């Protein structure tokens, strides 16, 4: 639609400090159905800047942009409808939106749909089958799920936020902030809710089923890349004093062909060799909810090649990326 809308004009208004003018321009053109203006409005409403966050309104703007043929809006709408942003999770509707995007010629949507169609899923995106768990330790409970992910699914997870990789950070309980720390020398990125494709969400439902938890108890997936010499020194994943504790950790090993990088539980004398597609699951807390010091673990230095792993921390109660606690 040739409406005269320009993102460059909006950017200039914002740089000049004319927030009101920028917002008025975007809202005017989005009301006229301009797909770029609708997408810009949706992003602002999701981020909460320069206007307050409003998830239901953001979803309406995304829907308008997607219907008008905005490819990124279509993929984002699929993700947010499935994970319930601004409403209730709706796998079937999200799947229908993905098929619509394919019909509109969205090549990325077509690749996503092919991966989803290759999965054995129930009507809500849950797994019909799970691999037999290999128990590595009874107390604390540590087990491996061999080949939980296919190579194509591993690649999809790795590429979901690879463009966002940067030096990793750790949680600082003194400030309640994520900070850089020499304990963790890998590169890290988070697969946020707008990047949770149906492929990612089917994987997360698989993880939830395998751990006996609800998918909404999981934090956003953290993607890690370890180059030679990089490591994650001994640490606990539980957060001291948290009102919604990390009760379980799931490590998804995404590749093979590297040397080193074992997951070591030094208090238990257990080393786990990463195998592409496997998941490693362990409990982080004692029966009374306190952090369990026995599950202190480390990602040993990679000696050659590159190690890719995705981490899913599971909380005691539902966790919202929009209102983390």
């Amino acid at each position: 639609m040739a409406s005269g809308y320009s993102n460059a004009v909006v950017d200039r208004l914002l740089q000049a400090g004319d927030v009101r003018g920028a917002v008025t321009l975007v809202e005017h053109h989005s009301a006229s159905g301009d797909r770029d203006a609708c997408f810009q409005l949706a992003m602002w409403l999701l981020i909460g800047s320069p206007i307050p966050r409003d998830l239901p309104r953001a979803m309406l703007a995304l829907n308008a942009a997607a219907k008008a043929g905005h490819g990124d809006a279509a993929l984002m709408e699929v993700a947010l409808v499935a994970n319930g942003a601004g409403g209730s999770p709706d796998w079937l509707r999200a799947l229908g939106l993905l098929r619509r995007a394919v019909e509109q010629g969205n090549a990325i949507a077509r690749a996503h749909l092919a991966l989803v169609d290759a999965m054995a899923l129930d009507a809500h995106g849950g797994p019909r089958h799970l691999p037999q768990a290999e128990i590595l330790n009874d107390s604390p409970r540590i087990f491996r799920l061999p080949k939980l992910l296919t190579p194509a699914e591993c690649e999809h997870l790795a590429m979901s936020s690879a463009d966002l990789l940067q030096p990793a950070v750790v949680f600082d309980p003194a400030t309640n902030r994520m900070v850089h720390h020499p304990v963790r020398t890998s590169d890290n990125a988070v697969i946020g809710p707008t990047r949770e494709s149906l492929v990612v969400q089917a994987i997360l439902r698989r993880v939830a089923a395998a751990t006996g938890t609800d998918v909404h108890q999981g934090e956003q997936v953290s993607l890690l890349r370890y180059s030679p010499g990089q490591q994650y020194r001994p640490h606990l994943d539980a957060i001291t004093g948290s009102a919604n504790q990390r009760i379980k950790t799931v490590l998804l090993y995404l590749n093979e062909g590297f040397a080193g990088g074992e997951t070591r539980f030094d208090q238990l004398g257990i080393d786990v060799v990463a195998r592409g597609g496997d998941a490693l699951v362990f409990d982080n807390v004692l029966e009374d909810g306190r952090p369990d010091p026995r599950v202190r673990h480390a990602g040993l230095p990679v000696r050659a090649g590159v190690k890719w792993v995705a981490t899913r921390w599971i909380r005691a109660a539902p966790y919202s990326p929009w209102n983390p606690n």
Side-chain angles (χ1 to χ4, degrees):
M1 180 180 295
S3 63
Y5 174 78
S6 169
N7 283 322
V9 173
V10 173
D11 290 341
R12 285 198 294 270
L13 288 171
L14 291 175
Q15 292 168 7
D18 187 2
V19 174
R20 182 176 180 180
V23 172
T24 298
L25 182 63
V26 168
E27 289 184 332
H28 170 74
H29 284 283
S30 64
S32 300
D34 182 275
R35 67 183 187 182
D36 293 327
C38 288
F39 184 65
Q40 180 65 80
L41 179 62
M43 293 303 297
W44 285 353
L45 291 165
L46 289 169
I47 295 169
S49 176
I51 53 181
R53 176 177 289 158
D54 186 333
L55 296 182
R57 190 180 170 207
M59 295 304 296
L60 291 174
L62 267 184
N63 181 260
K67 282 183 176 179
H70 195 292
D72 289 341
L75 296 172
M76 197 173 292
E77 184 185 20
V78 169
L80 295 178
V81 166
N83 63 30
S88 299
D90 192 334
W91 174 271
L92 289 177
R93 180 169 172 251
L95 186 58
L97 291 171
L98 183 62
R99 295 188 189 282
R100 185 185 71 183
V102 172
E103 292 169 358
Q104 291 177 328
N106 191 317
I108 297 176
R110 182 177 298 107
H112 290 184
L113 183 60
L115 281 173
V116 171
D117 284 344
M119 298 176 176
L121 304 176
D122 62 24
H124 302 287
R128 294 190 180 278
H129 310 287
L130 290 170
Q132 182 68 38
E134 297 176 359
I135 307 302
L136 304 182
N137 199 72
D138 287 320
S139 180
R141 187 169 176 79
I142 303 172
F143 63 91
R144 173 166 41 205
L145 294 164
K147 303 303 177 185
L148 183 69
L149 307 183
T150 68
E153 291 165 357
C154 288
E155 182 180 4
H156 183 89
L157 266 185
M159 294 299 101
S160 291
S161 286
D163 58 311
L164 301 179
L165 285 166
Q166 57 184 336
V169 293
V170 298
F171 182 80
D172 178 13
T175 62
N176 287 325
R177 298 178 63 185
M178 302 300 289
V179 299
H180 295 287
H181 194 284
V183 71
R184 192 179 193 186
T185 58
S186 61
D187 296 313
N188 167 257
V190 171
I191 303 176
T194 61
R195 292 185 178 225
E196 287 182 350
S197 68
L198 286 197
V199 179
V200 171
Q201 293 194 47
I203 291 170
L204 298 185
R205 283 161 171 76
R206 201 178 303 166
V207 166
T211 56
T213 60
D214 186 275
V215 69
H216 298 294
Q217 289 175 241
E219 292 184 33
Q220 299 166 82
V221 173
S222 181
L223 177 67
L224 299 168
R225 180 183 63 193
Y226 294 85
S227 298
Q230 291 185 324
Q231 62 181 308
Y232 199 166
R233 293 181 172 85
H235 64 283
L236 296 174
D237 288 343
I239 302 173
T240 302
S242 174
N244 188 12
Q245 188 57 268
R246 289 173 172 171
I247 59 171
K248 296 178 185 292
T249 292
V250 181
L251 301 180
L252 300 167
Y253 299 118
L254 304 183
N255 72 317
E256 297 177 356
F258 55 89
E262 298 88 351
T263 302
R264 170 169 292 175
F265 296 87
D266 58 355
Q267 303 294 302
L268 302 171
I270 297 173
D271 280 3
V272 180
V273 176
R275 301 186 311 209
D278 284 5
L280 181 68
V281 183
F282 52 91
D283 293 337
N284 290 319
V285 296
L286 299 164
E287 289 186 3
D288 61 7
R290 290 182 295 122
D292 189 341
R294 298 174 297 174
V295 291
R296 187 175 72 176
H297 58 287
L300 298 186
V302 170
R303 299 192 303 273
V306 177
K307 171 188 173 184
W308 290 79
V309 62
T311 302
R312 175 77 158 176
W313 288 299
I314 298 175
R315 300 279 186 141
Y319 176 91
S320 171
W322 307 106
N323 297 291
N325 51 50

